[in-house]
Amino acid sequence: MVTTDEQIERVRELVASVPAGRVVTYGDIAGAAGLSSARTVGWIMRTDSADLPWHRVVPASGRPAAHLARRQLARLELEGVPISGDRIDLARARHRFPPGSGEHGGEPGADDE
């Protein structure tokens, strides 16, 4: 599937809307944006997120990628995100998009990463 400009902009809007002190998973973004795969969100984030709060998007495990972990956890800690060891406490920090915010009603994506 080809990613459209509209899908890229929707992902960017959703990431920008995550408040400080909260996080979302790649699957959360995919679900709210109507995308079928969390991997698509990862690709968009990797190529077009320098001006976004990228550190607020995390894998479903709550554990940042090794190459980003120190920097990402430090930024999140400054925002007051609850962290235990090297993992974000998603039960306490996860932002929920309002129902109806995307094609899937803001629910996590099928392959939540």
Side-chain angles (χ1 to χ4, degrees):
M1 179 180 130
V2 175
T3 306
T4 67
D5 289 343
E6 291 80 19
Q7 290 169 324
I8 292 169
E9 285 310 308
R10 181 65 179 141
V11 166
R12 290 179 51 77
E13 288 170 6
L14 289 165
V15 172
S17 76
V18 178
R22 307 294 283 179
V23 298
V24 293
T25 68
Y26 292 95
D28 294 338
I29 296 281
L35 299 172
S36 62
S37 174
R39 292 180 187 273
T40 303
V41 175
W43 177 83
I44 292 169
M45 294 293 296
R46 192 169 50 253
T47 59
D48 191 24
S49 68
D51 61 334
L52 296 172
W54 60 268
H55 58 285
R56 297 180 189 146
V57 182
V58 300
S61 67
R63 196 173 266 142
H67 69 285
L68 296 173
R70 192 172 65 205
R71 188 167 49 142
Q72 189 168 16
L73 290 171
R75 285 182 181 214
L76 292 171
E77 188 173 40
L78 286 173
E79 292 184 359
V81 171
I83 298 167
S84 179
D86 64 349
R87 188 182 298 239
I88 293 124
D89 183 345
L90 289 175
R92 292 173 45 209
R94 197 173 200 165
H95 173 71
R96 300 286 182 185
F97 294 109
S101 63
E103 290 180 20
H104 298 285
E107 293 300 313
D111 61 348
D112 196 8
E113 290 189 0

